Amino acid sequence: MDTSLTPEQDGIRRALRDLLDRRCGPAELRAALDTPSGHDPALWTALAGHLGLPGLALPEAYGGVGCSVTELALACEETGRALAPSPLTATAVLAAPLIAALGTPAQRKDLLPRLASGALTAALVVDGPALATALALTGDNGGDWAGGGRAGGVQARRDGDGWRLYGQAGQVLDGHSAGLLVVAAHTGGYTRPRTLLFLVPGDAAGVSRARQTAVDATRPQGRVCLRDVGARLLGEEGADVPGALAQTGDRAAAVLACEAVGAAGRALELTVEHVGRREQFGRPIGSFQAVKHRLADVYVEVQAARSAAYYAAWAAAHGERAGGLALAQALRALRTAAAEAIQFHGGLGFTWEHEAHLYFKRAAGDELLLGPVHRLRAHAAGAARLLEASGTREVLV
C-alpha cells in the first residue's frame, strides 16, 4: 500500500476543502439544518455539479467519474471535517453501490447517470437500529432484520407482475427528502423467508414521509411509511442481496471511517486553537504540561484512526475488507476528540452557539447508527477468526 496521495487525489481534497470553507461555515451549516430537508440545495448543486462527488466512484459508462472508493473516502474526510449536511452518504455511499451491484442493465442505465449528476438523490430504507446489521457490520445479515414476517419493518407481496410494499422504517438517512427509495423488505412468509430490495419513487402513491429529530442534526433522518405501495424489484429475484449489502457495508464503513477521522481532526484543531488563546495565571493553558499530554494522546489516537481508515479505503478498492474495524477505531477517535474539545473549552463548549457540541453529537449519532464500537470490533474479530474457542480457552489463530 502506497500511503502518498496521487496528484488527482490531492486535487480533489484541495478543491473540496476550499469549497466547504467558503460555502459551509458555522453560520451556513446552522441555516441548512433549519431547512425542511436538513441540507442546503445550493451546496449540493456545487458538490454534485462542480465537483462530481455523487459520481466519483461510479463507472464512466453511467456518467460517473470512474474513480475508486478510495477517492470517495478522501472526499468524505473533507465533508466530515466541515460536518457538511448533504445527501452524499445516503446517495453515493449506500444506495448507488447497491443499484450498481444488483440492478438490471435497464435500471442502471436509467438511474445511475441521474444519481451521478446529483439530479436524483436516493436513500436506503432500513430501520435505523437495523442498519448496522443489514450492512453486516455488527452481525450476520441473513436474519429477519427487514421485518421477519411479523409486525414492524417492511413486508412485500406479489401483485401480478409487480410487488406491493407495506410497513415503515424510522431513522432512515435522508428518508424524508430522497427522490428514490431503495427499500429492504421481507418476503416469502415463514416458508421461504428472504430479504429483497425494491425501488420506489419518493412521491409514489401510498408513501408518507416525515423528518425526525435526531441526535446529530447534521445527518438528517426521516420516517418512511409505505401503505400498499407499488414497487419494482431491484435486479433479479435470485440475486445475492445479503452479499451485496455486506460488500456495500464494508465500503461504506471505510468511507465513513474517513469521514469520522475528518471530524475528529477538526475537533482537535479547534481545541488546539482555543488552548493557545485561553489564558490562566497569566499564560495560555496550552502551555501547561497536563494539557499538552492530553492533547498529545488525542493526536496519536486520531492519527492511528486515520491510518486505519486510509488502509480500509485502499483495501475496499482492491477487493479486501477492513472497513468495520477501521470504522470502530475512527468512531472511538471522534468520540475522544469531541469529548476533550468540550472539556477544554470549558463553559463555552457547552453552549449552543459553539461548534464543539456538533462534533460530539456527530460522534454519538454515528455510534448509534453504525455501532456501537465494541460490536463493530467483536464482529470484525469473529469474521477474521481472530479468536476461536478451544475447550474452555480462547486461543489466537
Side-chain angles (χ1 to χ4, degrees):
M1 173 186 172
D2 184 1
T3 58
S4 59
L5 300 182
T6 66
E8 291 78 10
Q9 291 170 340
D10 188 55
I12 291 171
R13 292 184 61 179
R14 288 176 180 273
L16 185 52
R17 180 171 295 194
D18 179 64
L19 174 65
L20 292 174
D21 285 344
R22 290 185 287 106
R23 303 285 294 272
C24 193
E28 293 82 0
L29 171 60
R30 292 173 187 274
L33 300 184
D34 291 334
T35 63
S37 63
H39 65 83
D40 180 8
L43 177 62
W44 176 242
T45 299
L47 293 175
H50 298 167
L51 298 180
L53 289 196
L56 202 58
L58 290 176
E60 292 182 79
Y62 296 111
V65 180
C67 294
S68 70
V69 68
T70 305
E71 283 73 24
L72 180 59
L74 292 172
C76 284
E77 183 179 0
E78 295 303 318
T79 62
R81 181 178 182 274
L83 297 181
S86 78
L88 183 64
T89 299
T91 299
V93 180
L94 296 177
L98 288 170
I99 295 172
L102 296 174
T104 64
Q107 289 172 340
R108 293 176 187 147
K109 185 178 180 180
D110 174 40
L111 298 174
L112 290 181
R114 290 190 286 156
L115 292 172
S117 69
L120 178 67
T121 60
L124 175 60
V125 179
V126 173
D127 200 53
L131 181 61
T133 301
L135 298 176
L137 294 176
T138 57
D140 179 25
N141 66 353
D144 59 3
W145 51 267
R150 300 186 295 273
V154 180
Q155 286 83 47
R157 62 176 177 82
R158 286 189 179 277
D159 181 30
D161 294 333
W163 294 82
R164 311 295 292 186
L165 304 183
Y166 188 95
Q168 72 174 22
Q171 305 303 142
V172 176
L173 290 179
D174 291 317
H176 60 296
S177 61
L180 175 69
L181 304 177
V182 181
V183 183
H186 180 273
T187 186
Y190 293 102
T191 57
R192 292 183 298 171
R194 54 182 172 160
T195 298
L196 297 176
L197 296 178
F198 298 89
L199 300 173
V200 177
D203 58 357
V207 176
S208 60
R209 305 185 288 174
R211 186 176 175 183
Q212 290 182 283
T213 301
V215 171
D216 176 19
T218 66
R219 212 186 275 290
Q221 301 172 15
R223 174 181 287 109
V224 178
C225 297
L226 306 160
R227 297 293 180 266
D228 199 32
V229 176
R232 290 184 296 157
L233 181 67
L234 176 60
E236 306 294 341
E237 284 194 49
D240 181 14
V241 172
L245 283 166
Q247 183 179 21
T248 298
D250 183 77
R251 288 164 51 99
V255 173
L256 293 172
C258 286
E259 186 186 73
V261 164
R266 180 56 182 159
L268 179 59
E269 288 176 15
L270 291 172
T271 308
V272 172
E273 291 171 5
H274 177 75
V275 300
R277 295 190 305 263
R278 180 77 170 92
E279 291 189 0
Q280 287 288 341
F281 308 109
R283 55 190 289 195
I285 63 174
S287 64
F288 299 145
Q289 190 176 49
V291 173
K292 290 180 180 180
H293 285 179
R294 285 175 61 176
L295 292 183
D297 288 342
V298 177
Y299 175 80
V300 170
E301 189 165 351
V302 171
Q303 289 300 101
R306 178 173 282 113
S307 295
Y310 282 6
Y311 174 76
W314 174 88
H318 291 79
E320 301 179 23
R321 294 191 177 185
L325 200 54
L327 179 59
Q329 191 163 353
L331 291 181
R332 177 174 173 177
L334 175 55
R335 182 176 60 192
T336 301
E340 291 289 58
I342 289 179
Q343 180 75 23
F344 280 115
H345 278 84
L348 179 64
F350 284 90
T351 63
W352 183 257
E353 291 76 15
H354 199 271
E355 298 172 73
H357 74 94
L358 296 175
Y359 289 90
F360 188 81
K361 289 176 180 178
R362 170 59 66 92
D366 276 5
E367 197 163 348
L368 285 171
L369 196 65
L370 303 165
V373 167
H374 70 271
R375 289 189 61 192
L376 286 167
R377 286 179 168 170
H379 182 64
R385 302 180 66 189
L386 186 62
L387 295 172
E388 283 194 347
S390 178
T392 58
R393 299 180 303 153
E394 288 188 340
V395 296
L396 288 171
V397 295

